[in-house]
Amino acid sequence: MSVLVVGDGSGDGASEWVQLWARDHLSADRQAQYRTWDNNSSAWGKAITTGKGAKVAVWNASTASPNLAKEAKRLAKVWKPADVVILSYGHRGNPTSIAGQLDDLRKAVEGQNPEAIMIVMIQNPDPVATQANQAATTKAVKAWAKKHDLDTVNLYDAFVNDPSPRYQLVTSDGSPTPLGSALWARTLAEAIKKAG
């Protein structure tokens, strides 16, 4: 099995949700082989392997501040044969254009593997001060995923419903803190387990 993650800077770091999900959750009952995309060298890094059992490859092509209008084109560069593709965008998206940009990305995934399962992350809320600005974008991403019958993982609600103060979960620029990244990884793992 192979998973490709394409998204923004909320998941590109070593301490952020993609690597935490692979290390702390996927590897609980299988061998997770995790790699990140290096934009500077335009190459995949060496695998970090955790766990034992059936192998699952996790290719993390998340990047800080992506230009969503160009992500469909970037997908061709980072593509690895993937059974599951996780799309994680929304913090910096424009609510009037994000659906069309995500649609271009969806078509690019289908062009690579029409059988790939796509999962859409409904990203965490921004800090309280800027939360209202993100609400319209989050609503647009949800509506787009529903229109195309794509599975979603609702991080927005998970963060809002968590008893921790928002500042402990989200930094001033909207990125998840280490605690928020752990919540993100756990929420994704629980959603996949629930879906069966």
Side-chain angles (χ1 to χ4, degrees):
M1 180 178 156
S2 180
V3 179
L4 175 67
V5 180
V6 284
D8 61 22
S10 61
D12 66 335
S15 64
E16 294 179 319
W17 71 267
V18 184
Q19 187 167 349
L20 297 182
W21 172 61
R23 185 192 71 202
D24 298 343
H25 300 281
L26 281 181
S27 65
D29 58 1
R30 68 199 88 188
Q31 183 184 100
Q33 296 179 336
Y34 172 86
R35 292 175 178 85
T36 56
W37 176 257
D38 185 330
N39 275 326
N40 294 325
S41 63
S42 293
W44 288 100
K46 292 183 179 180
I48 299 171
T49 302
T50 52
K52 294 180 181 180
K55 293 180 182 177
V56 56
V58 178
W59 303 91
N60 183 11
S62 298
T63 186
S65 303
N67 181 339
L68 193 48
K70 296 181 179 180
E71 283 293 89
K73 185 176 180 180
R74 188 174 77 94
L75 182 78
K77 183 189 286 189
V78 304
W79 179 261
K80 288 291 180 179
D83 306 299
V84 177
V85 178
I86 298 177
L87 308 177
S88 184
Y89 301 92
H91 280 298
R92 303 293 171 258
N94 182 319
T96 60
S97 60
I98 195 167
Q101 293 166 340
L102 287 172
D103 221 34
D104 290 342
L105 190 53
R106 177 185 63 84
K107 290 173 185 174
V109 170
E110 290 175 347
Q112 296 287 348
N113 178 8
E115 303 301 318
I117 297 167
M118 278 183 262
I119 299 172
V120 180
M121 302 303 246
I122 308 301
Q123 290 193 335
N124 64 278
D126 275 353
V128 174
T130 58
Q131 182 176 332
N133 297 331
Q134 190 195 7
T137 303
T138 300
K139 184 177 179 181
V141 173
K142 281 183 183 178
W144 174 81
K146 184 175 181 180
K147 176 181 177 182
H148 295 288
D149 198 28
L150 301 176
D151 293 327
T152 59
V153 178
N154 195 335
L155 280 304
Y156 192 94
D157 285 353
F159 275 65
V160 168
N161 294 332
D162 191 272
S164 303
R166 182 71 53 80
Y167 72 88
Q168 290 183 2
L169 299 173
V170 181
T171 65
S172 60
D173 70 353
S175 298
T177 63
L179 185 63
S181 293
L183 172 60
W184 190 315
R186 186 171 65 252
T187 302
L188 173 58
E190 289 171 354
I192 290 173
K193 185 176 181 180
K194 186 176 180 181

